Amino acid sequence: MALQAERPPRTASEKAVPGRARSTRKKARPAGGVTWRLRLRRDRGLILMTLPAIGLLLLFNYLPLLGNVVAFQDYNPYVSTNGVTAILHSPMVGLEQFQRMIEDSDFWNALRNTLLLFVIQLLLFFPIPIALALLINSVVRPRVRALSQAIMYLPHFFSWVLVVTVFQQMFGGAGLIAQILQDHGVDGFDLMTNSGIFKYLLTAQMVWKDAGWGVIVFLAALASVSPELYEAAAMDGANRWRRMWHVTLPALRPVIALLLVLRVGDALTVGFEQILLQRKAVGVGASEVLDTYVWSTGIQNGDFSYAAAVGLVKGVVGVCLVLLANKFAHLLGEQGVYKK
């Protein structure tokens, strides 16, 4: 009679799990040992508080996106008093509105003015809040720092009507500077009607109104820098400029990258109300941007389909710019808007 081969003893893991089928049926727990049901039960209070904000976002930001279908139609709002019925009864024309946009010289003029104004604002406006934050952060006395912040924040709460009025009273043909020059025999000073410097004038207005408000983000980033880093740099012999270059600016780098990505994504939106208030003074050729072009063609002229096509192209280009800028931030080692 043949001897039966002895079975090797079972290990401790095999004793704990007697069958392989049972071990395969056992589901792996997620990282941290917290299931989505447990997280839902734990965070249901926070979720309920965010539901009104999500509802408003869906109602006013995402639901209107369905109206972009009129960009592919010959939309006639007078078919019915109901806007949805008018969309359903308007004929589809395909890409006719986009072809018309490519052949429209006014559209290309508005696009050129928009991109030029964006480049000017990016070069002249974007670095100013960073410089102001570094300047305020170097102020030692708390009262002087608080007073400086309050003075710079205040213009942000002014409306564009008030901002344009202030600039008109200062730099207009009947403004303060023009009157002083007239008293000294110099006539013809009027920056508000000079189309050649209109884009720089818009940038100056933005700097005066919003530069102080942009300082808040950078000051918050500087507040998170440990004072021990400055002390260690000072002990190593670094002067004030070296400490700013090797400690302060690296701390601001993630915030700068994030705001730069968002600013690039908003490149085709360069101030509708601000330009609309001053376009008659310098003419349409120098002041027409994509936002004012959509308003004039869609609201003033009633060409809703063509205006929707221009707005749709603007939105798509803005999304592409955000993705490209965020990819560039990843290449520089920064997180950007979202991680890889």
Side-chain angles (χ1 to χ4, degrees), residues 229-239:
L229 297 177
Y230 293 103
E231 296 175 359
M235 292 180 63
D236 291 339
N239 56 19

Side-chain angles (χ1 to χ4, degrees), residues 15-339:
K15 291 179 181 180
V17 184
R20 180 175 296 180
R22 183 181 301 177
S23 62
T24 56
R25 289 195 303 266
K26 196 172 182 179
K27 295 182 180 179
R29 297 180 66 86
V34 181
T35 62
W36 68 271
R37 292 183 179 179
L38 182 59
R39 290 198 300 266
L40 182 62
R41 193 182 309 114
R42 180 191 62 189
D43 301 332
R44 62 176 179 268
L46 298 175
I47 295 175
L48 289 176
M49 286 191 294
T50 58
L51 286 181
I54 295 175
L56 293 175
L57 188 66
L58 293 175
L59 181 62
F60 293 103
N61 291 85
Y62 288 95
L63 187 61
L65 292 177
L66 300 176
N68 285 324
V69 69
V70 302
F72 304 93
Q73 294 179 328
D74 185 10
Y75 177 67
N76 185 7
Y78 305 105
V79 172
S80 174
T81 56
N82 190 341
V84 178
T85 305
I87 292 176
L88 296 176
H89 288 81
S90 297
M92 299 292 294
V93 295
L95 301 177
E96 180 179 331
Q97 304 295 343
F98 298 93
Q99 182 179 0
R100 173 187 168 189
M101 180 175 56
I102 294 175
E103 299 172 353
D104 190 359
S105 59
D106 294 335
F107 165 77
W108 292 108
N109 177 60
L111 179 61
R112 181 169 57 252
N113 289 337
T114 302
L115 295 178
L116 182 59
L117 185 57
F118 163 70
V119 173
I120 293 175
Q121 292 179 357
L122 185 65
L123 296 178
L124 300 181
F125 173 75
F126 188 78
I128 291 180
I130 303 174
L132 291 177
L134 296 176
L135 182 62
I136 293 178
N137 190 63
S138 63
V139 177
V140 178
R141 296 184 179 181
R143 291 185 178 180
V144 178
R145 181 184 301 181
L147 180 61
S148 302
Q149 293 179 13
I151 293 175
M152 287 188 293
Y153 296 166
L154 184 61
H156 174 76
F157 300 98
F158 296 164
S159 65
W160 278 116
V161 177
L162 181 57
V163 172
V164 173
T165 302
V166 171
F167 271 74
Q168 182 68 39
Q169 295 297 324
M170 291 294 297
F171 305 105
L176 178 63
I177 297 178
Q179 292 179 4
I180 295 175
L181 291 177
Q182 286 178 3
D183 294 339
H184 291 79
V186 180
D187 297 328
F189 180 85
D190 188 3
L191 297 183
M192 301 300 292
T193 58
N194 191 337
S195 60
I197 64 170
F198 178 67
K199 297 177 178 61
Y200 300 96
L201 182 66
L202 293 177
T203 306
Q205 293 171 356
M206 287 191 62
V207 169
W208 184 68
K209 185 177 187 297
D210 291 329
W213 186 257
V215 172
I216 297 177
V217 180
F218 297 106
L219 285 179
L222 290 175
S224 63
V225 181
S226 175
E228 298 177 356
L229 297 177
Y230 293 103
E231 296 175 359
M235 292 180 63
D236 291 339
N239 56 19
R240 178 176 297 181
W241 296 105
R242 286 290 182 180
R243 293 196 296 268
M244 181 183 298
W245 182 262
H246 295 286
V247 179
T248 306
L249 289 180
L252 292 178
R253 183 175 170 178
V255 180
I256 293 174
L258 175 61
L259 295 181
L260 186 60
V261 171
L262 296 177
R263 184 67 189 94
V264 170
D266 206 26
L268 302 183
T269 303
V270 287
F272 169 74
E273 183 180 358
Q274 178 190 9
I275 297 175
L276 192 64
L277 291 170
Q278 307 174 78
R279 64 182 305 186
K280 291 184 179 180
V282 296
V284 177
S287 62
E288 189 78 289
V289 294
L290 287 180
D291 286 339
T292 57
Y293 183 67
V294 170
W295 174 79
S296 61
T297 55
I299 303 301
Q300 285 189 323
N301 300 332
D303 197 350
F304 298 101
S305 295
Y306 182 64
V310 177
L312 183 59
V313 170
K314 173 191 168 184
V316 172
V317 172
V319 172
C320 294
L321 289 176
V322 169
L323 297 177
L324 291 176
N326 198 74
K327 181 65 176 179
F328 183 71
H330 290 167
L331 295 177
L332 295 179
E334 301 298 335
Q335 177 177 343
V337 179
Y338 57 87
K339 295 181 180 180

